[in-house]
Structures are given as structure tokens and as C-alpha cells.
Amino acid sequence: MASVIVVGAGVFGASVADRLAGAGWDVTLVDRDEPGHARAESGGESRLMRFSHGPKHWYARSAWRARELWLELDPRLVVEAGVVWFARREGGWEDESERVLREEGIPVERLDLDQAARLYPSLGTSDLAFVLHEPAAGILRARDATRALVQRARERGARLELGEAKPDGSAVSVNGRRLEADRVVWACGAWLGRLFPELVRLRVTQQDLFFFGAPSGWATPPVPGFVDYDGAAYGLGALDGHGVKVAPDVEGRPFDPDTRERAPAAENERLARELVARRFPALKHAPISSTAVCQYSLTADTEFIAAPHPQHPGVWLLGGGSGHGFKHGPALAERILAWMTEDEGPEPRFGLGPREPDRSLRTAGAGGVTATPGAGAG
Ligand SMILES: Cc1cc2nc3c(=O)[nH]c(=O)nc-3n(C[C@H](O)[C@H](O)[C@H](O)COP(=O)(O)OP(=O)(O)OC[C@H]3O[C@@H](n4cnc5c(N)ncnc54)[C@H](O)[C@@H]3O)c2cc1C
């Protein structure tokens, strides 16, 4: 039986552990904290699951396959409320996404502004050209989904070890104990750059979320999730009573997930209030009922990292979620298994080495308080 040590029980590592345990591998999953913990990028209540990725077919296909795998894991993890894209112009990201989704046979519809207005109790549309609706998209219950993957991995025979891991050649040192296996996967989110500074270049940024108290009528479902690509913002309605979620998606200041306080930036609160007033005018005076702070681990081109270590071919590095990785977890793990067993060649787009900045796969994102390369926890 082949063996693997997976370090990191965030959505990427947990997905790999689950997939390999399901394929009969002997799996040891290591994390220094309980799965779903608050400092992990996979923590928190919710993540959007959408298929639109502009012109990139690979990601559209991956997200669509992942939807099937999430539903198979547990349909209660998926809130099928749909996701809409607020398109500010013709010929932009949303048009490219629509073309790709139609080519891939993934459900999508173009709504005029009157149709879009019926999806929300109140919607400001004066700055919009049209709205793209993905009816099969929705929201994933993030923390629960991460824990469900770990739980199924354990039911499939994986062992979970709590401890701080360090690379030791092609092996892993956990709390001073040396562990060896046929393969090792380092899926350490924002910490990956620290563990492999010569190979991995990530910008780790602070990202703030705001939840607005809203009257009934704003619950998700049925209120869909939303993304404003050019306006660098996304959110959803009130899920499980958490309030309407609004996230300014400009790239935040450098962030160390171990030492920085999780207090949102005043500038982001201003952006969130502005966004609510413009897009959901009935909520203009709604109070902020809670906030959350999370970190992005960003590659230069926002494509993921999934590649073998150049000196230790049995060791794989996995990460660079870049603010949009969650939904892909189980589908990415399926590909990793194929790449590790050489059923398929690895995807060059996920390789190590220099990357050219490219249009973001998340939202246009950059325009805000940009982070310094190499800073933060990277
Ligand atoms: C605010 C926010 C909103 C987002 N919105 C979306 C969205 O709407 N849709 C979407 O698809 N994606 C979204 N994302 C992105 C998505 O959440 C991430 O891409 C994904 O969670 C990355 O998971 P990961 O497993 O790489 O990292 P993590 O979840 O951080 O997991 C890494 C794990 O490694 C462990 N670890 C690190 N170092 C060590 C060590 N030395 N020894 C032992 N354990 C170690 C950590 O404890 C941690 O548990 C969002 C992210 C944020 C922050």
C-alpha cells in the first residue's frame, strides 16, 4: 500500500488526505491546530462556489467537478442559492465567463437589470450594464466542509496527528519525531512560503469581512451570492442569521496570521458601507453586526501552486489559494492523485518558479492598499 504524509488540514490538505485515503493509501494528516481553526484560510462560515473564471476553462471545469464532489460528500454543505455577477460593462470578465460556461455546458443566464432587481429586496443598478446569473452556483459552509473532509478521511483510515511539522529532506519532522512516507504533501496555506522560502513566493494579505444586520427578506437562500469583479467586492445574503456579508476585495496590508490582531481596517469598513449603500440601498443605515479577518495567500498570477519539489520528487507543494481556492479543494485533490501517480503530467500553470502578474481569478482586486511582495507570513 502506498503511503503519504499530508501536512496541513485546511481545505487543500484535507481534500488530498480524503481522496488518497479513499484510493486505499496509508494516510497521515498533520496539523498544528484542530481542523477548521480560526487562523486557517479555510476557517469561517462561508465561501462562494462559482464556476465563472473569465477565459480560463480549466478552473470552470474544476469548480463544476468540485460541486459534484461536495454534494457527494454532504449536500448540507452546499447552499444552492446561485451567484450573480454585477457587470459594469459589456466585453469584460463576465462576457468571457459566459462564453466559457456555455462552451462547458455549465448553467448560466444573462439577466437584464429588471430581472436582476427581483433577486434582492433592494438593488441599485444604475452603474451596471447587465447581470450574469449562475443558478447552480452557491455557498459552501466552509468550516463545516473542511471538518467533513477530515472526518471522512479518518473514516477511510487516515490518522490525524496534531503537531508542528518541519521539512527534513524528503521526510517530515513532527514535534521532533521523523516521519517518512512514499509521498509528502505540504499544504500549509499562508505558512507555505516560510517553510520553503527558496521555492514559494506568496504575498499574505489581511482581508476583512463585514456582516450587516438586515431585516427578514435578506436571507440566503433565496438571496444569491454576488461578485462585482471590476468593483473588487463580493458577498451574500444573511446565511444562518449571520447578517448580509460584504467583503471589499482589494488586496489588504501584509499579514502575519500568527501574530497580527484580527481587527478590520477602518478603510475597509468605509468601503463596505459605501458598497452596501450603492448596491443594496435599503440597507444604507444597517448596523454592522459582526466582522471577521482572514488572510489570502496570493501568487503573482492568482493560479494555484501544485508541484513536486525539485530536489525531492516524492515531495509535493500545494497552496497559493489566492482568495479563490476553497471551492476547488476536492476536484484539485483528484488531479493531484493523478499527477502523483503519473496517470497525468502535472499542470504547468501550477509549477514553481517565477510567475508573471496576470488578471486576477478572484476579482480585479489589486486597486487598494497593496501589499509588499515577500512580506507578511509569506
Ligand atoms: C476572506 C476570505 C474569503 C475567501 N472567499 C473565497 C470564496 O468565496 N470562494 C473560494 O473558493 N475561496 C475563497 N477563499 C480562498 C480559500 O478560503 C483558500 O484558498 C483556501 O481556504 C486555502 O486553503 P489551504 O488549505 O491552502 O490553507 P489553510 O486553510 O490555511 O490550511 C493550511 C493549514 O496548514 C496548517 N499548517 C501550516 N503550517 C504548518 C506546520 N508547519 N505544521 C503543521 N500544520 C501547519 C495550518 O494550521 C492550517 O490548518 C477566501 C479566503 C479568504 C481568506
Side-chain angles (χ1 to χ4, degrees):
M1 184 196 291
S3 59
V4 64
I5 300 163
V6 182
V7 183
V11 73
F12 281 1
S15 297
V16 171
D18 173 54
R19 169 59 52 182
L20 268 59
W25 288 51
D26 178 70
V27 178
T28 305
L29 176 61
V30 184
D31 203 299
R32 56 188 202 167
D33 233 318
E34 289 291 339
H37 69 92
R39 285 180 305 149
E41 220 165 311
S42 309
E45 313 298 330
S46 59
R47 294 289 186 277
L48 293 182
M49 179 186 67
R50 40 85 182 182
F51 314 112
S52 289
H53 287 82
K56 307 237 169 156
H57 284 258
W58 192 96
Y59 286 91
R61 257 181 243 141
S62 168
W64 185 242
R65 171 65 179 148
R67 172 182 181 271
E68 200 173 314
L69 295 171
W70 285 119
L71 288 169
E72 189 186 294
L73 175 63
D74 185 346
R76 289 170 301 181
L77 299 169
V78 183
V79 181
E80 295 186 280
V83 167
V84 301
W85 294 78
F86 296 129
R88 291 165 181 244
R89 61 194 165 101
E90 302 281 348
W93 171 269
E94 297 80 8
D95 275 316
E96 286 175 297
S97 295
E98 182 184 8
R99 176 181 57 74
V100 169
L101 295 189
R102 290 194 190 285
E103 285 169 12
E104 294 291 338
I106 298 172
V108 64
E109 52 188 357
R110 185 181 272 247
L111 305 181
D112 64 33
L113 299 180
D114 289 339
Q115 291 169 313
R118 290 197 277 279
L119 296 173
Y120 293 87
S122 117
L123 187 71
T125 57
S126 59
D127 57 342
L128 300 182
F130 68 97
V131 164
L132 200 64
H133 182 218
E134 297 190 58
I139 289 96
L140 289 162
R141 296 181 192 280
R143 184 192 305 117
D144 293 351
T146 305
R147 289 181 177 157
L149 286 166
V150 173
Q151 189 186 326
R152 191 172 67 178
R154 297 178 82 178
E155 285 161 10
R156 290 171 158 180
R159 288 174 303 283
L160 175 65
E161 291 215 14
L162 290 184
E164 178 92 30
K166 291 199 182 78
D168 178 0
S170 60
V172 179
S173 160
V174 183
N175 300 333
R177 211 157 43 91
R178 189 179 151 87
L179 304 181
E180 288 180 80
D182 300 323
R183 300 276 188 282
V184 174
V185 179
W186 292 89
C188 293
W191 295 269
L192 194 65
R194 268 189 197 164
L195 290 161
F196 299 96
E198 263 88 70
L199 299 174
V200 173
R201 188 171 166 82
L202 292 174
R203 284 184 301 133
V204 178
T205 59
Q206 171 173 338
Q207 304 300 141
D208 300 338
L209 308 171
F210 298 87
F211 297 84
F212 287 83
S216 63
W218 285 92
T220 289
V223 167
F226 66 89
V227 190
D228 181 339
Y229 186 88
D230 289 336
Y234 68 90
L236 49 126
L239 178 68
D240 302 333
H242 283 292
V244 172
K245 175 174 171 178
V246 172
D249 203 36
V250 291
E251 285 159 19
R253 57 193 174 202
F255 189 72
D256 183 328
D258 291 327
T259 59
R260 279 295 281 269
E261 297 229 9
R262 293 191 179 242
E267 169 63 6
N268 283 337
E269 179 179 329
R270 190 188 62 72
L271 285 174
R273 286 190 190 279
E274 214 176 85
L275 192 133
V276 164
R278 178 170 9 99
R279 190 63 66 224
F280 307 125
L283 297 181
K284 186 172 178 186
H285 301 294
I288 290 176
S289 52
S290 62
T291 61
V293 174
C294 183
Q295 71 272 356
Y296 281 164
S297 46
L298 294 163
T299 59
D301 56 7
T302 69
E303 305 249 17
F304 308 144
I305 294 169
H309 190 295
Q311 277 91 49
H312 308 290
V315 174
W316 280 68
L317 308 186
L318 175 61
S322 300
H324 69 105
F326 198 97
K327 68 188 88 51
H328 295 279
L332 187 57
E334 209 170 48
R335 298 273 60 78
I336 302 262
L337 174 59
W339 299 333
M340 285 199 328
T341 51
E342 293 175 14
D343 287 349
E344 282 175 23
E347 262 290 318
R349 70 176 74 227
F350 300 141
L352 303 173
R355 304 259 181 113
E356 285 302 312
D358 197 359
R359 202 162 46 141
S360 162
L361 285 160
R362 190 181 76 250
T363 68
V369 200
T370 42
T372 317

